[in-house]
Amino acid sequence: MAVQASIDLVGVNVIKSVFSIDGKHFTVQTSANVSLDRSGTPWLPPGVVVAMTTEQDLELDAPVDPAALSGAEQARDLLHSWYPQLHTPSVVAPVISTSDREGGGVGCFFSGGLDAFYSVLENRAEITHLILVHGFDIDPRRPKPYERISAGAREVAAEMGVELIEIRTDLQFLHTRHGNNWGSTAHGAALAHVALLLSPHLRKVIVAASGSYDTGNMTPHGSHPDLDPLWSSGNLEIVQDGTEAHRIDKAEAIKDSDLAMRHLRVCNLNWDGDYNCGKCEKCIRTMINLYIAGGLERCETLPHTIPIERMNRMHVTSGAFPFAKENLDAMRARGIRDAELEAALQRILDRTPREQRILEYRWLLLEVAPRVPRVLIGLLVQRLRTIRADRSSHSA
Ligand SMILES: [Zn+2]
């Protein structure tokens, strides 16, 4: 069996691909406010990752760029070296050289976050386009938060004198439906899909790094400085930027930018259409970054008081622990004396697995359930399955 992807050209700005997986058809649609590449190349990264998880080979009917095909095989091998349980599919596709084509701009993915603002400002001289995606950290079924985020991104692009490319895609559903963990395996492939679709306009796309090499959080990840460039093609280079900087370095770099302080958006919950909720781990983490860097009071989009009480009962995923440690280490290294905040960060790092579970359940019941009942049911079912699987493996 093989995952088969066939391209359906709906229009200049809209492209669909039908993935046949285990005899079932799954359609992904990506659209933009600009024309899109019509070859099979942009479908290589998501196709490879899905084939790895579903343990099948990959067959594309549309021609792909030879450099992208070779790079996709290297990306597959790197992901397999990180996650040996994943299959290493063969990739079959007709090949067509595209390296002599147009596309002279330089794009940067722009969510409005700390990493994105840092990379945009650091590379301001060469960036010609910002790329905003509706469908990755913003659920494509929720228009309200996106409208505000889109308006903010349009203002940033206008003030910088660059173009804003807006993408809408339901690609994330392909991955979640077929068992790919968005963060650990699929995220970079999804970004590469968008970047490669924009090759008629761009020669290079910058992905803002979310980790730095010297803080211990540069672990295998779906978007990683060693992985993302492998998804490049003969006429579009994908690079990661910002791995040299911690979040606090980045906060320091952007705190004097009025543009960043007026538009910074870090929240990915966006409950009730909030720009930043000011209460979730990501918002609070960033408030602390800015506080340490001496810029919190300049930021117009986040509260200026760190909610210590809330930190004590806030659910923090294991992936976010290095960021709490980074903040605590930076406070100590810089001699910032704030006993209350220091103690709150230390309490998070000292949590036992049992305390973590209790806070996770509390978050699900008190904060998620009243807002999105269906999400709660899904998360609870997932959690109960994990607990049951853990118990049976311990009793085996
Ligand atoms: Zn938030």
Side-chain angles (χ1 to χ4, degrees), residues 266-270 276-283:
V266 296
C267 187
N268 48 19
L269 288 183
N270 306 110
N276 288 313
C277 74
K279 299 171 188 165
C280 70
E281 184 279 329
K282 187 102 179 279
C283 281

Side-chain angles (χ1 to χ4, degrees), residues 111-162:
S111 60
L114 182 64
D115 300 319
F117 255 118
Y118 173 80
S119 288
V120 162
L121 295 175
E122 286 290 307
N123 298 283
R124 195 169 187 157
E126 69 166 338
I127 288 173
T128 56
H129 296 72
L130 301 183
I131 306 162
L132 177 66
V133 182
H134 187 190
F136 289 171
D137 66 327
I138 316 156
D139 190 325
R141 296 163 299 192
R142 297 177 66 209
K144 193 175 166 190
Y146 183 77
E147 283 164 16
R148 186 157 174 217
I149 293 159
S150 164
R154 277 197 296 271
E155 282 180 44
V156 172
E159 287 193 41
M160 287 182 63
V162 301

Side-chain angles (χ1 to χ4, degrees), residues 307-328:
I308 302 287
E309 260 311 298
R310 186 167 175 86
M311 285 175 69
N312 292 334
R313 57 180 198 279
M314 177 175 75
H315 169 50
V316 178
T317 63
S318 55
F321 270 71
F323 297 116
K325 186 170 184 319
E326 187 179 299
N327 275 334
L328 186 57

